[in-house]
């Protein structure tokens, strides 16, 4: 996962935009020079950085999730690195992935709403990070496991079907 997160930072550097390190520098600029001085020169840099990360996420997230499923089913960590095979798994089972991503968006919205309610209670503000991390990663891992089960069942059914006919 760190490798997947590292690549857009490299792309930002190649394109001459700040990326994650530029984000830290921008915060420093805002604190020292003020927001108005920063806002005159930097929003386009942030927009380009967000665009690079968004495009990379749209491309790499399904491939990474497919690699995680292949790893869970095979136990071979090298399947995580086989992007073409991971992409083919994603394309072959796109309908399962579409449902997974719809549930993921709904889950993220639910977590955001729960975090908002916790934040407004005052003392619950301390629970927001713990709740967010636990709710997001536990439920996403569970949903990804269910997706792996569906893919495995579909794979088993396709292997049995030719011999039954």
């Amino acid at each position: 996962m760190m490798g997947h997160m590292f690549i857009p930072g490299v792309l930002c550097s190649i394109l001459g935009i700040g990326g994650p390190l530029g984000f830290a520098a921008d915060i420093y600029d805002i604190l020292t020079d003020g927001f108005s001085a920063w806002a005159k020169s930097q929003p386009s840099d942030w927009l380009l950085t967000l665009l690079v990360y968004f495009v990379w996420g749209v491309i790499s997230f399904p491939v990474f999730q497919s690699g995680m499923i292949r790893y869970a089913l095979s136990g071979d960590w090298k399947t995580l690195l086989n992007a073409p095979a991971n992409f083919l798994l994603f394309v072959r089972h796109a309908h399962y992935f579409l449902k997974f991503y719809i549930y993921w968006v709904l889950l993220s919205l639910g977590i955001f709403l729960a975090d908002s309610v916790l934040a407004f209670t005052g003392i619950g503000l301390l629970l927001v990070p713990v709740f967010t991390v636990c709710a997001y990663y536990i439920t996403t891992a569970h949903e990804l496991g269910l997706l792996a089960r569906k893919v495995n069942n579909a794979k088993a059914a396709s292997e049995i079907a030719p011999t039954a006919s």
Side-chain angles (χ1 to χ4, degrees):
M1 182 142 177
M2 291 305 291
H4 280 272
M5 297 303 289
F6 182 72
I7 291 172
V10 170
L11 290 173
C12 286
S13 295
I14 291 170
L15 295 172
I17 53 179
L21 295 177
F23 177 72
D26 287 342
I27 290 174
Y28 176 77
D29 287 343
I30 290 170
L31 293 175
T32 57
D33 298 333
F35 183 78
S36 61
W38 172 84
K40 290 179 184 175
S41 63
Q42 295 301 322
S44 62
D45 186 47
W46 272 39
L47 290 174
L48 287 173
T49 301
L50 288 174
L51 180 66
V52 167
Y53 273 85
F54 178 77
V55 169
W56 177 251
V58 167
I59 293 168
S60 72
F61 193 66
V63 173
F64 179 74
Q65 294 292 343
S66 299
M68 290 297 293
I69 289 171
R70 290 184 63 232
Y71 169 67
L73 296 176
S74 71
D76 182 12
W77 65 270
K78 291 178 261 179
T79 58
L80 289 168
L81 305 175
N82 191 345
N86 295 343
F87 181 72
L88 287 175
L89 178 78
F90 170 72
V91 170
R92 192 171 24 247
H93 300 288
H95 58 288
Y96 292 140
F97 280 91
L98 179 62
K99 286 175 67 176
F100 171 77
Y101 293 130
I102 289 170
Y103 291 146
W104 180 79
V105 167
L106 293 175
L107 169 71
S108 297
L109 181 62
I111 290 172
F112 174 76
L113 292 173
D115 285 346
S116 299
V117 169
L118 285 172
F120 286 120
T121 65
I123 191 72
L125 186 61
L126 299 172
L127 299 174
V128 168
V130 174
F131 174 76
T132 301
V133 169
C134 291
Y136 178 77
Y137 285 105
I138 290 171
T139 54
T140 301
H142 177 73
E143 289 295 323
L144 192 58
L146 292 176
L147 180 58
R149 182 186 298 169
K150 289 177 185 176
V151 167
N152 191 39
N153 289 345
K155 180 181 171 187
S158 69
E159 290 174 356
I160 292 173
T163 59
S165 56

